[in-house]
Amino acid sequence: MREIRLYNTLTNRLEPLDPLHPGEVRIYTCGPTVYASAHIGNFRTFVFQDILRRFLRSQGYRVLQVMNVTDVDDRIIHSAAAAGIGIREYTDKYIRAFLEDIDALGIEMPEELVRATDHIEDMVTLIEKLQQKGFTYTTDGSIYFRISKFPEYGKLSKIDLSGIQPGARVDVDQYDKENARDFALWKAPKPGEHFWETRIGPGRPGWHVECSAMSMKYLGDTLDIHTGGVDLAFPHHENEIAQSEAATGKPFVRMWLHAEHLIIEGQKMSKSLGNFYTLRDLFAKGHKPSTIRFLLLSVPYRRQLNFTEDGLMQARSSVERLRNFVTRLKAEQFAAGSNREVERLVETAENEFEAGLANDINTAVALASVFDFVRDANTAMDRGTFLEQDAPRAVAAMEKFDAVLAVLADRDDETLAKLGFSRPNQRMPAAEIEALIGERIAAKKSRNFQRADEIRQKLADSGIVVEDTKDGTVRWKYK
RNA sequence: GGCGCGGUACCCAAGUGGGAAGGGAGAGGUCUGCAAAACCUUCAUUCGUGGGUUCGAUUCCCACCCGCGCCUCCA
């Protein structure tokens, strides 16, 4: 098995992946907080995680991935109350939308998608364990984690607690905490708020404890990989480490992977700047799922990604190029035989593709190997040195690449239609298209080029592109 | 201030102590009735700036400039 190296935020180094359970990689992924639609920045992180899991599987690993859904927090409680419905009902619709969104982007479902509110009992058990070991204290019914009892606090984010300057910014809750950095494991209910009646009293869980409880429940005390956006490293992941390791006495996570943020047209994405896009906003503007996925995956995950209109155009063209190649492979007739040179091209591409991804999921290198292959194979086809037996081999390679990339197989129209974004101007019935193309071929044969061009224009107006090929056949596709 | 990421052609972007990947756009050409697709050619003689190490640095070291993130329950 090829060695896979990943950049571990805990050690700030590239390290070889060495799963605790041979052949199986256990991953925990911080999922969405379902109080609103996820935005394009969220999906940068989720697409990265999808590339990671797809690559691991393509390398023969079993993957056991758990993603949480945070369906209880202040915003949810308040919004649900304002809407006069329960938090479960309130979050259901956002969970549904999230599932539709990740499906639209070709993101595979994790093996376990778990809701925080289904695991209150597990969190209570974890908090009890921390209480027994003396890592907590209670103030007014809220239970806090005492950071001073956990000397390794700060090892992920490399913050030095001794150097903290008190003052500048003070949390509003500070008065009931011993230390400003202590965080809530359990929050006492406020009047009128949703709460659970439990062995540790009435209340609701703090944000951090949910991830510790659920990850260890499904993946064991020590996980192979924990992923999330860079912003989560502190305090969320730092707190997860503290809770989990204090409770079990074992290392919580062997490798921490953090995806850099996405910015929009060079600016930080924020609601006040009005550059806050959901997937559906982009679909409504006419962008295809494959375009968005390609753009999100084309920049390696540890690099900030500038999400721009121009970038979307470029991504769209790139995907077109790859898809055109596969279409050509399947449609064109080649002379009998097979060419060892082409086989060599395939092997080189497959090797470089894997090597790129194995080096900290370097998608830019992986894509370069695919494009190299596409160009060289196209050249061989143009020169007539690409033979009949080479085609299925090349198709197989492209399918292998797409098992990770997931942008070649064209589900765009289908996906958009499912979400209500069908484009009626592209819905000319196939029979009518075929009839027009037949008429155009006849017109061309009788050298009535004016009529032929009229038909081509008519099809173009309906979003259909016609391509004449060398051997006289005609291909068409939706634009 | 602390911790971290980055500055490579018009845009996106890889990379290494010794010939600067790949994609998009542009220009010219081949093919085509014309297109489209594809192919060919072209597109970085300061790889942020200034020093240093070296036979040789975009790559290592130092300083500086610029952009960004986290240090507040934001992926």
Side-chain angles (χ1 to χ4, degrees):
Chain A
M1 214 176 251
R2 185 187 288 272
E3 180 176 273
I4 296 171
R5 300 194 309 156
L6 299 168
Y7 189 86
N8 187 354
T9 314
L10 190 60
T11 57
N12 285 139
R13 275 203 302 264
L14 278 175
E15 293 176 358
L17 173 68
D18 180 25
L20 205 52
H21 305 81
E24 178 173 275
V25 183
R26 300 191 177 186
I27 307 174
Y28 185 82
T29 292
C30 281
T33 299
V34 283
Y35 74 102
S37 293
H39 54 69
I40 192 64
N42 294 316
F43 291 114
R44 198 273 165 101
T45 304
F46 295 135
V47 165
F48 155 63
Q49 287 153 170
D50 186 57
I51 297 289
L52 172 67
R53 72 167 347 253
R54 283 171 177 268
F55 176 58
L56 292 175
R57 287 182 357 129
S58 78
Q59 291 297 293
Y61 287 103
R62 286 189 309 282
V63 168
L64 179 51
Q65 182 189 14
V66 175
M67 180 188 282
N68 72 299
V69 171
T70 300
D71 59 351
V72 52
D73 81 338
D74 288 334
R75 291 165 300 195
I76 289 169
I77 288 171
H78 294 146
S79 302
I85 55 179
I87 61 171
R88 203 66 194 189
E89 191 186 342
Y90 180 80
T91 52
D92 274 345
K93 64 174 184 285
Y94 289 115
I95 292 176
R96 259 198 312 279
F98 177 70
L99 294 178
E100 287 170 355
D101 284 353
I102 64 172
D103 180 60
L105 280 183
I107 295 169
E108 291 181 340
M109 273 292 282
E111 282 63 31
E112 300 282 351
L113 185 77
V114 295
R115 292 176 75 153
T117 55
D118 286 333
H119 296 79
I120 301 295
E121 171 64 26
D122 300 295
M123 300 178 210
V124 168
T125 302
L126 179 63
I127 293 169
E128 284 177 324
K129 200 180 279 184
L130 290 169
Q131 285 180 319
Q132 286 156 19
K133 294 194 174 188
F135 285 99
T136 70
Y137 59 91
T138 303
T139 305
D140 296 333
S142 290
I143 304 170
Y144 295 94
F145 186 93
R146 181 180 280 123
I147 285 173
S148 59
K149 284 277 289 181
F150 189 75
E152 289 186 87
Y153 192 83
K155 67 180 175 183
L156 178 66
S157 50
K158 282 88 185 168
I159 64 163
D160 179 3
L161 287 177
S162 63
I164 290 178
Q165 296 170 349
R169 285 168 174 171
V170 179
D171 190 275
V172 289
D173 293 330
Q174 193 193 353
Y175 64 89
D176 52 16
K177 290 195 261 181
E178 292 180 2
N179 180 311
R181 298 278 175 175
D182 288 347
F183 55 92
L185 296 164
W186 190 254
K187 297 183 174 185
K190 292 179 185 150
E193 282 191 351
H194 190 285
F195 68 94
W196 283 264
E197 195 64 63
T198 70
R199 295 190 299 279
I200 54 174
R204 60 192 173 83
W207 175 37
H208 315 295
V209 78
E210 97 181 43
C211 286
S212 287
M214 296 194 289
S215 59
M216 291 194 291
K217 171 174 184 170
Y218 292 94
L219 300 175
D221 290 347
T222 300
L223 334 181
D224 292 311
I225 296 175
H226 192 314
T227 67
V230 278
D231 56 302
L232 294 186
F234 189 90
H236 184 53
H237 293 160
E238 197 70 68
N239 291 351
E240 280 186 52
I241 292 174
Q243 293 163 341
S244 306
E245 299 192 352
T248 67
K250 297 177 201 165
F252 174 46
V253 168
R254 307 178 89 201
M255 294 183 119
W256 286 93
L257 270 45
H258 289 103
E260 252 300 343
H261 277 179
L262 163 158
I263 57 177
I264 305 276
E265 304 284 352
Q267 288 186 299
K268 182 178 175 169
M269 186 175 59
S270 75
K271 284 187 172 149
S272 58
L273 284 171
N275 60 3
F276 211 82
Y277 299 119
T278 64
L279 253 200
R280 287 158 214 248
D281 291 338
L282 295 166
F283 293 158
K285 289 172 81 173
H287 298 299
K288 300 194 242 185
S290 61
T291 301
I292 297 165
R293 181 175 168 102
F294 186 92
L295 177 54
L296 293 180
L297 71 80
S298 64
V299 179
Y301 78 99
R302 282 202 299 130
R303 187 187 181 97
Q304 205 172 59
L305 188 160
N306 189 8
F307 193 88
T308 64
E309 195 69 35
D310 193 40
L312 284 165
M313 302 296 287
Q314 296 181 10
R316 182 194 170 103
S317 298
S318 300
V319 172
E320 275 300 303
R321 177 168 168 78
L322 298 177
R323 287 181 175 174
N324 286 340
F325 174 65
V326 176
T327 301
R328 184 179 186 188
L329 281 177
K330 289 178 175 169
E332 204 159 307
Q333 299 296 313
F334 305 103
S338 69
N339 182 348
R340 198 175 307 155
E341 273 303 297
V342 174
E343 172 61 24
R344 209 178 48 77
L345 290 177
V346 172
E347 283 170 10
T348 300
E350 287 179 338
N351 187 48
E352 289 179 358
F353 183 81
E354 289 180 23
L357 292 175
N359 184 18
D360 201 28
I361 316 297
N362 191 330
T363 46
V365 166
L367 283 175
S369 72
V370 176
F371 281 107
D372 276 336
F373 172 62
V374 168
R375 186 196 56 242
D376 291 343
N378 269 324
T379 302
M381 287 191 255
D382 283 358
R383 290 182 182 159
T385 57
F386 190 98
L387 303 176
E388 196 175 10
Q389 304 300 319
D390 298 327
R393 182 74 182 89
V395 169
M398 293 303 283
E399 283 171 354
K400 205 163 163 183
F401 300 146
D402 205 41
V404 178
L405 303 175
V407 291
L408 299 186
D410 189 349
R411 314 184 301 139
D412 286 329
D413 284 339
E414 181 194 330
T415 301
L416 288 170
K418 227 191 289 181
L419 296 178
F421 291 98
S422 56
R423 292 173 289 178
N425 63 325
Q426 295 189 5
R427 287 282 79 95
M428 186 185 281
E432 190 179 336
I433 296 169
E434 295 295 349
L436 283 169
I437 286 176
E439 192 190 332
R440 179 166 170 276
I441 291 172
K444 277 181 63 181
K445 202 163 276 175
S446 58
R447 305 196 64 78
N448 184 353
F449 295 122
Q450 193 186 336
R451 177 63 189 148
D453 289 348
E454 272 171 24
I455 294 170
R456 185 166 61 197
Q457 187 55 49
K458 182 174 177 182
L459 288 164
D461 291 343
S462 297
I464 291 146
V465 181
V466 179
E467 295 177 8
D468 299 333
T469 62
K470 223 171 237 173
D471 56 26
T473 58
V474 177
R475 289 198 291 259
W476 64 270
K477 64 186 179 189
Y478 291 113
K479 198 171 178 180

